[in-house]
Amino acid sequence: MKLLVIGSGGREHALVWKLAHSPHATRLWCAPGNAGIQQERCAGSGRSVECVPIGAEDLDALLRFALEHRPDLTIVGPDNPLALGIVDLFQNHHLRIWGPNQRAAQFESSKAFSQNFMAVHGVPTARSGVFTDPHAAKRFAASLDGRCAVKADGLALGKGVLLAQSLPEAEAAIEEIMLKRSFGKAGEQIVIQEMLEGIEVSLHALCDGHVARLFPTSQDHKRALDGDLGPNTGGMGTFSPVPFLSEDELLEAARGILEPWQRGCRAEGIDFRGILYPGVMLTAAGPKVLEFNARFGDPETQVYMTRLENDLVELLDACVSGTLKDIELRWSPQTAVCVVMASGGYPGPYQKGLPISGLDGVTALPNVKVFHAGTALHQGSVVTNGGRVLGVTAWGDTLAQAQETAYAAVDLIEFEGAQFRRDIGAKALGYRSPLS
Ligand code: AMP
Ligand code: GLY
C-alpha cells in the first residue's frame, strides 16, 4: 500500500516508524516530515520514506499531491488540517483518508461544542459554563470563588487555557481571552470549568464510527520544568502504562466516558473515525473529562507506538472501513518512557539551526528509539528546527529501567541550550496505590 502521513512532529515520526514496519507499506510519503522521518525505510519494500515539502495546513497542495500520487491511505497527524476539513475534502475526491471529518473534529476544534455535548449526553466533566458575554462569565467564575480554568473556544496551539486560583485572577483571564483577544478569534466564546484536583491521565480510543478500542493509559508532563513548574508546553515527556489506575479501574473509567460519548455521537449523527483522546482528571469523585482531542497525543504516540504489537496499517485501515470490531489491540507488557528534548527558551522564543550531536551513539543502545520532532537536515547534518526537538523513547520491564535507559540516551545527545525534564515518570515511581 502507498501511504501519505501529514505532519512533521514527534507524533508523526512515531506513526511513520510504526507504519514503515508493516509489510503492507510499500511506499510512504510524509508532508512535510522532518530529518528523522526522512531516515526511515519501509520494511516491506526497502524503500526510503520520502518527505514532501508541503505544509500540513496547505490543503490545496496536499490534495494536488494526493491526486497525482494516489496514496491508498492518507493519515492525518495534527489537529489543524482536521479542523480545516481535510478529511471531507479528500473524501469528496474519493481519496481514502484516516481521521475524523470536520464535524467530528469539533470535539477538539471547539471547546464550547465539546462542553455542551458532554452536558447534554452525560459525559462526566467539571462543573462548567459556556459564555459569549464577559459579564456572565465573571458571574459564573464568582460562583466558583474564582478557582477555575478559563478556556478559549477554538484551537490556540494548546495555549488557550488559563488557570485561576482567585476571582481577580479569573476576571483577568476572562479579559485576556475575551477583550484583549490574546488568542484571536478563538476567544469569541469561552468555557469556564471549576478547578479539579487529582491526577491527570491521557486516554486514547481508536474509533471506526461504531466501536471504540481503548489504548492503555499514559501520562504527559505538560509543564516546562521539573516538579511541574514553569509554563505549559505541548508536552515534555510521557510514560505508559501509568500505575495510577488498575486495568479494572481503567475499563470502568473508560466505560463511564466512552459509552455516553458514543450514545451522543449516534444521537447527533456524528461519524467519528479516528482517535479520540480525552484528557482526564482522576478526582476523588471519579474520572472527569477536561477536554477532548480528536488526534493522537504528542508525546503520547511515541510511547504507544513502541508498545503496540498490531500492524498499524491494518488498524488504521480498519478504522476507515468500519471493521475495527474484528481486531483486538495487543500491547507489549513493558513500560515505555519518552523524554522530550526542547530548544532553550521553549515554549517562549528559541533559536533554530543548531547542530545536534550524539544521535549516532544512541542508535547503538538497545531498547531506545529517538523520534525527531523539530529537526531538519542542513548540509547532511541534523540541526534543530522547532521548539520540541527530539522525543527520546526507551522501554524496559519496569518504569525504572525504561527511565534509566531513556536518560542514558538523553545524556549522549547534545545541542546548545538543550532543555529537558529530569523527572519524567518520577511521581509514578514513588506512587503507592491507596488500594494496596
Ligand atoms: P486543556 O487543554 O483543556 O486540557 O487544558 C490544559 C491543561 O490545563 C490541562 O492539561 C490541565 O493540566 C489544566 N486544566 C484544564 N482544565 C482544568 C480543570 N478544570 N481543572 C484543573 N486543571 C485543568
Ligand atoms: N500531550 C498533549 C497533546 O497532545 O495535546
Side-chain angles (χ1 to χ4, degrees):
M1 272 171 86
K2 294 185 288 179
L3 305 169
L4 168 63
V5 174
I6 295 176
S8 61
R11 163 186 49 214
E12 286 76 21
H13 189 181
L15 292 173
V16 164
W17 174 77
K18 186 68 185 163
L19 291 166
H21 274 77
S22 164
H24 298 292
T26 50
R27 191 155 185 197
L28 218 162
W29 297 278
C30 187
N34 62 36
I37 289 174
Q38 206 168 327
Q39 290 165 23
E40 299 296 342
R41 227 170 241 289
C42 296
S45 62
R47 235 180 141 134
S48 291
V49 172
E50 296 155 78
C51 286
V52 185
I54 305 176
E57 289 163 37
D58 189 348
L59 268 49
D60 292 340
L62 290 168
L63 176 64
R64 277 199 302 279
F65 180 87
L67 288 172
E68 189 185 338
H69 293 88
R70 295 275 155 194
D72 299 295
L73 183 65
T74 296
I75 295 122
V76 189
D79 47 12
N80 274 343
L82 295 170
L84 292 169
I86 192 168
V87 171
D88 313 62
L89 179 71
F90 273 43
Q91 284 173 345
N92 289 340
H93 287 83
H94 309 289
L95 291 161
R96 237 170 124 67
I97 182 162
W98 177 89
N101 60 30
Q102 195 170 26
R103 181 152 182 251
Q106 283 182 100
F107 280 108
E108 175 156 12
S109 62
S110 169
K111 288 188 186 283
F113 170 87
S114 264
Q115 203 66 48
N116 287 329
F117 181 98
M118 288 195 273
V120 171
H121 298 292
V123 178
T125 182
R127 224 182 111 200
S128 63
V130 177
F131 303 94
T132 49
D133 169 22
H135 300 293
K138 286 180 185 176
R139 279 197 297 278
F140 183 70
S143 77
L144 300 172
D145 290 330
R147 288 184 36 73
C148 59
V150 184
K151 307 186 176 190
D153 173 48
L155 295 179
L157 295 171
K159 292 181 186 156
V161 176
L162 302 176
L163 301 178
Q165 298 292 351
S166 65
L167 191 53
E169 276 179 30
E171 289 184 343
I174 292 166
E175 285 171 18
E176 187 77 32
I177 298 179
M178 300 194 89
L179 303 177
K180 292 193 197 140
R181 287 292 165 91
S182 298
F183 308 106
K185 261 174 76 74
E188 277 173 11
Q189 204 173 190
I190 62 169
V191 170
I192 297 185
Q193 292 179 337
E194 73 179 310
M195 182 71 78
L196 293 175
E197 308 274 351
I199 299 175
E200 228 177 306
V201 293
S202 301
L203 301 188
H204 280 68
L206 210 49
C207 306
D208 71 349
H210 311 281
V211 302
R213 287 272 184 259
L214 186 67
F215 279 27
T217 44
S218 61
Q219 188 179 49
D220 192 2
H221 296 63
K222 296 216 170 142
R223 300 294 195 97
L225 306 176
D226 284 10
D228 293 327
L229 299 173
N232 252 323
T233 69
M236 293 300 288
T238 40
F239 63 98
S240 169
V242 305
F244 311 119
L245 274 184
S246 66
E247 190 68 20
D248 286 348
E249 288 166 329
L250 167 65
L251 290 178
E252 197 184 314
R255 213 173 7 248
I257 293 165
L258 293 177
E259 284 183 1
W261 177 80
Q262 285 181 298
R263 269 199 305 276
C265 285
R266 274 195 296 275
E268 299 200 14
I270 297 171
D271 184 13
F272 193 104
R273 294 176 194 230
I275 194 149
L276 184 77
Y277 153 23
V280 173
M281 188 75 90
L282 305 174
T283 74
K288 295 190 191 283
V289 175
L290 296 178
E291 62 158 357
F292 281 123
N293 301 291
R295 51 162 177 91
F296 278 105
D298 187 349
E300 284 86 342
T301 310
Q302 289 83 320
V303 286
Y304 284 139
M305 290 305 119
T306 55
R307 294 191 59 214
L308 181 67
E309 290 180 344
N310 298 72
D311 182 314
L312 185 62
V313 176
E314 290 175 10
L315 270 189
L316 301 186
D317 198 55
C319 273
V320 179
S321 316
T323 54
L324 213 45
K325 66 174 187 332
D326 302 330
I327 303 185
E328 291 298 330
L329 299 187
R330 289 175 284 108
W331 300 93
S332 140
Q334 292 194 310
T335 294
V337 171
C338 170
V339 179
V340 170
M341 297 182 77
S343 295
Y346 174 78
Y350 51 82
Q351 234 182 309
K352 287 186 189 178
L354 300 169
I356 305 173
S357 64
L359 290 169
D360 289 344
V362 175
T363 33
L365 294 181
N367 305 336
V368 181
K369 173 73 189 171
V370 178
F371 293 115
H372 290 221
T375 66
L377 278 180
H378 180 67
Q379 295 171 348
S381 305
V382 181
V383 298
T384 65
N385 192 40
R388 291 189 290 175
V389 176
L390 301 168
V392 180
T393 309
W395 49 96
D397 289 339
T398 62
L399 174 58
Q401 274 172 19
Q403 199 192 42
E404 193 184 327
T405 310
Y407 280 110
V410 164
D411 287 338
L412 293 178
I413 301 172
E414 278 180 32
F415 52 92
E416 195 188 317
Q419 173 191 319
F420 56 89
R421 282 181 60 161
R422 273 275 165 207
D423 65 345
I424 303 303
K427 262 193 275 179
L429 274 179
Y431 179 79
R432 292 280 165 274
S433 164
L435 303 174
S436 65

